[in-house]
Each structure stands twice: as C-alpha cells, then as structure tokens.
C-alpha cells in the first residue's frame, strides 16, 4: 500500500479524486502506527521507541532525495544504531536502551554539524 499511503498522506484530495478509499487508508495507517508503538513500548520502552521513530528518519531526511530512499536509509540507520548500541553496551557493561539512544543522538548531532558545514550532494531547494 506504499503508493496509496503516500497519496493519502501528502495529497488527500488527489487521492479522493483518484477513487481511493481515503478514510479507510487513513484509519489503517493510524492503526498500524498505533500497533507499532504499543508493541514496541512493551518490548523496548518509551524512550527508545521515540528515539528510533524520530532520529533515523531525521538523519535520512538530510541526505535522501525522495521518500522511498529516505525510508530505506532510516531502516538501515535504525539497524546500525541498534547493532552498534548493543555491541557497545555489551563491551562496556552499560544499559542497552540508553546506549542505543546516545549513539543515535550523537549521530543526529554529527549529521547536523555536517549539514551545517557542507551542503548535501543534492540541493533540497530543487524539490
């Protein structure tokens, strides 16, 4: 449902004109997001859920030229933050969730600094 969710999220009127069931798709998207958050909170905790739902997409947004590229980069970054955080927490005997959040936060700050000092490969103005 990628194209349908994209249409409903960014241009609801256009999706309605194309004959898409906008209300159903919107509710389905909300239910999927809610289920994801509820399940993840029970598994990993609130702070880690917030960090992993916001920081990887925020970093990917600085370097992606379209939504699918941003989604793939965010998934890769999320995997990287989890794997690195678990490895570092194991080696240094630190809490895993906090380590993952600190690594993701440091990567976000590094991304902001890199963006400030040099422009991304493709200018965001041309979109």
């Amino acid at each position: 449902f990628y194209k349908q969710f994209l249409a409903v999220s960014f241009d609801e009127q256009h999706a309605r004109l194309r004959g898409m069931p906008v209300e159903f798709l919107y509710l389905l998207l909300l239910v999927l997001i809610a289920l994801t958050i509820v399940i993840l909170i029970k598994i990993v905790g609130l702070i880690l859920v917030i960090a992993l739902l916001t920081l990887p997409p925020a970093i990917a947004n600085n370097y992606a030229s379209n939504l699918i590229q941003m989604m793939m980069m965010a998934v890769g970054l999320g995997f990287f933050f989890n794997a690195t955080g678990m490895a570092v927490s194991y080696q240094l005997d630190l809490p895993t969730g906090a380590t993952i959040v600190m690594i993701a936060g440091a990567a976000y700050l590094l991304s902001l600094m890199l963006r400030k000092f040099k422009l991304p490969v493709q200018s965001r103005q041309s979109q």
Side-chain angles (χ1 to χ4, degrees):
F1 293 109
Y2 170 76
K3 290 182 181 180
Q4 290 86 356
F5 285 145
L6 186 65
V8 169
S9 297
F10 290 104
D11 195 355
E12 188 176 317
Q13 290 178 348
H14 178 71
R16 201 177 305 278
L17 288 173
R18 302 278 318 240
M20 292 182 191
V22 173
E23 289 81 17
F24 171 76
L25 289 169
Y26 184 70
L27 288 175
L28 178 63
L29 183 61
L30 290 178
V31 167
L32 290 174
I33 292 169
L35 284 174
T36 301
I37 291 171
V38 168
I39 291 169
L40 284 175
I41 286 174
K42 289 197 175 281
I43 295 172
V44 298
L46 180 63
I47 302 298
L48 190 56
V49 169
I50 292 169
L52 290 178
L53 284 177
T54 57
L55 292 174
I59 295 170
N61 186 41
N62 291 333
Y63 303 102
S65 58
N66 59 40
L67 183 63
I68 193 76
Q69 192 177 43
M70 183 178 146
M71 290 168 60
M72 293 299 138
M73 288 174 83
V75 168
L77 286 168
F79 178 77
F80 173 75
F81 295 151
N82 278 302
T84 305
M86 286 190 283
V88 169
S89 72
Y90 178 77
Q91 292 296 322
L92 301 177
D93 196 28
L94 296 170
T96 306
T99 306
I100 293 170
V101 171
M102 292 301 292
I103 289 172
Y108 179 71
L109 291 176
L110 179 65
S111 173
L112 285 178
M113 286 190 295
L114 287 174
R115 184 175 177 207
K116 191 136 189 125
F117 292 118
K118 79 176 192 182
L119 292 173
V121 176
Q122 181 169 346
S123 172
R124 306 284 297 166
Q125 300 294 334
S126 64
Q127 294 181 355

